């Protein structure tokens, strides 16, 4: 399965890197040489574990930040950071023998981006890349703790009991991985701001056991 995925990714990277040569006759002139050569985006959305991960994790959420250089209207090269988090389902919790748990992963990846219709108001794009992934598995149990709550009106503090989820065991791993996917940009009025929506397939390699795979669906703002 990993070999098939890597072959497909190599093909997508080949397309992303070489397809702009087909558009070389369209020279890109910047309206603003400084701002138009760079892009920044922020977004978030839902994140769906796939394959073996889907058997142990609930759907979760993702946060994303990206920035990079625009070589021309068709090709940009970005550094992406994303954070994904999911809760463990009942089957996984029963196997660990704990009442609560979660898994999170952050990654930094380098991604060329190919814009398929940069002169259109609906600009679809494809992207792929490699990077470093760090996953954290935490198991939790509820504990009653005494905390101090302060009354802002009367100005005094008093102790009270609160239930918190305390981490009782955790495991961390850093490995390489890749992502591939696509989305679209839509301009917001006459400004440089654009609304974007995208979905990507991520695979974090594992030395033991199955690779961690998931698909975040992200919406956000890009300029």
């Amino acid at each position: 399965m990993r070999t098939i995925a890597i072959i497909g990714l190599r093909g997508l990277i080949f397309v992303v890197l070489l397809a702009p040569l087909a558009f070389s006759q369209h020279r890109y002139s910047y309206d603003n040489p400084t701002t138009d050569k760079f892009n920044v985006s922020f977004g978030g959305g839902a994140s769906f574990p796939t394959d073996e991960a889907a058997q142990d994790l609930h759907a979760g959420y993702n946060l994303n930040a990206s920035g990079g250089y625009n070589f021309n209207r068709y090709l940009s090269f970005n550094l992406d950071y994303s954070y994904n988090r999911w809760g463990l389902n009942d089957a996984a919790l029963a196997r660990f023998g704990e009442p609560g748990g979660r898994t999170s992963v952050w990654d930094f990846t380098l991604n060329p981006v190919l814009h398929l219709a940069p002169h259109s108001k609906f600009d679809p794009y494809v992207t792929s890349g490699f990077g470093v992934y760090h996953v954290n598995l935490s198991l939790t149990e509820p504990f009653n703790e005494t905390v101090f709550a302060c009354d802002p009106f009367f100005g005094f503090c008093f102790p009270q009991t609160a239930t918190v989820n305390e981490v009782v065991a955790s495991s961390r791993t850093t490995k390489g991985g890749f992502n591939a996917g696509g989305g679209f940009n839509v301009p917001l009025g006459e400004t440089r701001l654009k609304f974007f929506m995208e979905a990507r397939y991520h695979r974090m390699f594992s030395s033991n056991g199955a690779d961690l795979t998931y698909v975040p669906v992200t919406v956000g703002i890009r300029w």
Side-chain angles (χ1 to χ4, degrees), residues 195-209:
F195 167 83
F196 77 89
M197 181 175 184
E198 68 173 34
R200 301 194 196 185
Y201 172 83
H202 287 257
R203 178 179 288 266
M204 175 184 172
F205 301 134
S206 174
S207 300
N208 300 303

Side-chain angles (χ1 to χ4, degrees), residues 56 58 88-102 138-140:
D56 293 332
H58 294 296
L88 272 65
N89 60 25
D90 292 340
L93 293 175
R95 190 168 65 252
F96 287 116
E98 295 292 347
R102 61 182 181 269
S138 298
L139 302 176
T140 63

Side-chain angles (χ1 to χ4, degrees), residues 30-43:
Y30 292 100
D31 296 328
N32 188 321
T34 301
T35 59
D36 287 353
K37 287 187 177 182
F38 298 93
N39 69 83
V40 178
S41 66
F42 297 96

Side-chain angles (χ1 to χ4, degrees), residues 95-144:
R95 190 168 65 252
F96 287 116
E98 295 292 347
R102 61 182 181 269
T103 297
S104 62
V105 58
W106 58 256
D107 64 84
F108 284 99
T109 58
L110 291 172
N111 302 277
V113 181
L114 174 63
H115 298 268
L116 304 179
H119 299 282
S120 171
K121 290 189 176 181
F122 180 83
D123 173 25
Y125 61 87
V126 293
T127 183
S128 63
F130 291 91
V132 59
Y133 290 72
H134 178 84
V135 64
N136 177 31
L137 168 66
S138 298
L139 302 176
T140 63
E141 292 182 358
F143 284 88
N144 291 326

Side-chain angles (χ1 to χ4, degrees), residues 7 12-13 18 21 23 33 37 41 55 58 63 68 101 105 114 129 134 137 142-143 157-158 161 164 166 171 175 203:
I7 292 174
L12 181 55
I13 290 178
L18 298 184
L21 296 178
F23 307 111
K37 287 187 177 182
S41 66
Q55 302 176 19
H58 294 296
L63 301 172
V105 58
L114 174 63
H134 178 84
L137 168 66
F143 284 88
C157 299
F158 53 91
T161 300
V164 297
E166 185 171 313
S171 174
K175 295 289 183 180
R203 178 179 288 266

